Amino acid sequence: MKRQKTGKSLALTARDLAIFKLLERYRYLRSTFIHDFVGGQSETRFKERLGDLYHEGGYLTRPEQQWETARSRYLPAVYENSDRARDVLAAQGRLADPCPHMPYGTSGAGRQFAHSLMICETLASIELAVKAKADLRFVSWPEILAKAPEGARRSPNPLRLPGSSCSLGTATELARNGDTVPDAMFGLGYGGEGRRSYRFFALEVDRGTMPIMRSARGQTSYLEKMSAYHGVAARGVHRSHLGIPNLLVLTVTTSEARKQNMLSALARTIEDSAMFLFKEVGAAAHRNGATLGAVLQLPWDCAGRSHVDILEPGD
């Protein structure tokens, strides 16, 4: 939990640099996730190397917020780049813009860190599931933004999907102005080159802290945000702002009962709710820090149609 140097010499390797680049994209990942992306055959040796990068080199940090939960010491450690790792990437011209869903300096203790970690682990699990399929391609947020119209590329918050107002502010203020800020965005490419089709997704991670609906409109709630997404799609904001041809909204939540309540609320409120897909990962999300690939590869629930497999091309 605290750095303890032993004087061991440490020379950076190509795989170390791959670890730094991965954490620059995701910010927070457990050792198990990092190994699945860039590790070798021995997971034990790999974890020892992560320990060396933390204890001896000071290249990685272990966010203190992870130790606040009861089972934290029995789960794989969560890692993040230190300023020293970012300096190494910058010196080699490999320091990209930080992930917009987790910019440095914004994630605090408690709920906010847990929410941020769940975003990273969900998105990483989807990317790992895609990597296992030869006819699929994961389209990261930087790739989406690189091809977006100039207005989005120059925006201080390009993830913000404009609503009726273009003002900036807190998440609550943005919701009241009709703007929508996803937890993350990505795309999937289906089929081989020359015959590839694409679908794009806004990701919402729900830990049960936001009310599903409120009696008064304009108050922050899950249903209010989904209504804003529905407006985004109806006005074609995803096309005009980001240049993507379609948009589905994925909600990952932590209990089956809450998922069913969300589905029911959407079905009663939004007539055409086929763009909203749901997955409950509560049991898997806390099991030994493992990736969620097996769960996320199962069809997603939908209020407006039958189950949808996001790893298969759509209609």
Side-chain angles (χ1 to χ4, degrees):
M1 296 171 65
K2 299 292 182 182
R3 283 197 178 92
Q4 297 179 351
K5 288 189 176 183
T6 64
K8 181 178 180 179
S9 61
L10 194 66
L12 293 180
T13 67
R15 190 168 67 178
D16 296 335
L17 295 177
I19 292 170
F20 300 163
K21 288 182 65 178
L22 177 67
L23 289 174
E24 197 62 20
R25 279 206 300 125
Y26 277 104
R27 184 169 182 183
Y28 300 127
L29 284 178
R30 296 187 187 277
S31 60
T32 43
F33 282 75
I34 302 172
H35 178 262
D36 284 349
F37 273 105
V38 301
Q41 292 184 344
S42 173
E43 185 173 342
T44 299
R45 292 288 299 273
F46 184 79
K47 289 181 179 180
E48 291 173 354
R49 182 62 179 181
L50 292 176
D52 290 341
L53 292 171
Y54 169 69
H55 289 291
E56 307 293 345
Y59 293 102
L60 302 181
T61 65
R62 293 172 176 169
E64 293 184 0
Q65 302 98 318
Q66 69 182 291
W67 311 122
E68 296 175 1
T69 58
R71 295 186 61 247
S72 60
R73 299 188 186 189
Y74 302 97
L75 293 173
V78 177
Y79 286 92
E80 170 184 23
N81 277 342
S82 71
D83 288 342
R84 191 175 184 191
R86 304 189 80 228
D87 288 342
V88 170
L89 292 176
Q92 298 190 2
R94 300 185 181 187
L95 185 62
D97 292 335
C99 52
H101 49 281
M102 237 71 63
Y104 284 87
T106 63
S107 186
R111 272 191 341 193
Q112 194 172 356
F113 170 76
H115 183 256
S116 298
L117 178 61
M118 189 171 172
I119 294 171
C120 293
E121 291 188 338
T122 302
L123 195 60
S125 294
I126 293 172
E127 183 173 357
L128 286 167
V130 169
K131 286 180 64 176
K133 292 183 173 288
D135 59 345
L136 273 178
R137 189 170 80 83
F138 184 84
V139 183
S140 65
W141 167 251
E143 185 176 348
I144 294 173
L145 186 58
K147 298 180 180 179
E150 184 178 2
R153 297 198 306 272
R154 291 179 175 271
S155 171
N157 186 0
L159 264 178
R160 179 181 59 82
L161 301 175
S164 58
S165 169
C166 292
S167 61
L168 296 173
T170 65
T172 300
E173 291 166 343
L174 290 170
R176 288 175 179 171
N177 287 328
D179 296 353
T180 310
V181 185
D183 285 336
M185 288 195 72
F186 68 97
L188 295 180
Y190 307 86
E193 294 295 338
R195 56 183 180 87
R196 197 182 296 277
S197 61
Y198 290 88
R199 284 193 294 192
F200 294 88
F201 304 87
L203 175 66
E204 291 293 333
V205 165
D206 172 78
R207 299 183 61 252
T209 58
M210 178 185 291
I212 293 177
M213 59 190 306
R214 293 182 188 260
S215 57
R217 288 185 58 83
Q219 293 182 316
T220 303
S221 69
Y222 170 79
L223 196 57
E224 187 76 11
K225 190 165 190 179
M226 295 304 104
S227 296
Y229 272 121
H230 192 263
V232 162
R235 298 191 307 275
V237 173
H238 55 290
R239 290 188 291 271
S240 59
H241 181 64
L242 293 176
I244 56 178
N246 52 62
L247 182 66
L248 297 175
V249 180
L250 306 180
T251 296
V252 174
T253 190
T254 54
S255 79
E256 179 65 25
R258 185 167 172 87
K259 182 189 73 175
Q260 293 301 328
N261 289 337
M262 289 175 163
L263 285 164
S264 297
L266 266 180
R268 293 194 306 268
T269 309
I270 300 178
E271 183 175 352
D272 181 12
S273 55
M275 68 180 292
F276 302 106
L277 308 179
F278 297 83
K279 179 71 65 176
E280 180 271 321
V281 296
H286 305 287
R287 186 172 60 242
N288 301 322
T291 62
L292 308 175
V295 175
L296 295 173
Q297 289 187 63
L298 297 174
W300 293 61
D301 291 322
C302 180
R305 51 178 165 164
S306 59
H307 298 320
V308 176
D309 185 349
I310 68 169
L311 301 186
E312 294 294 332
D315 298 332

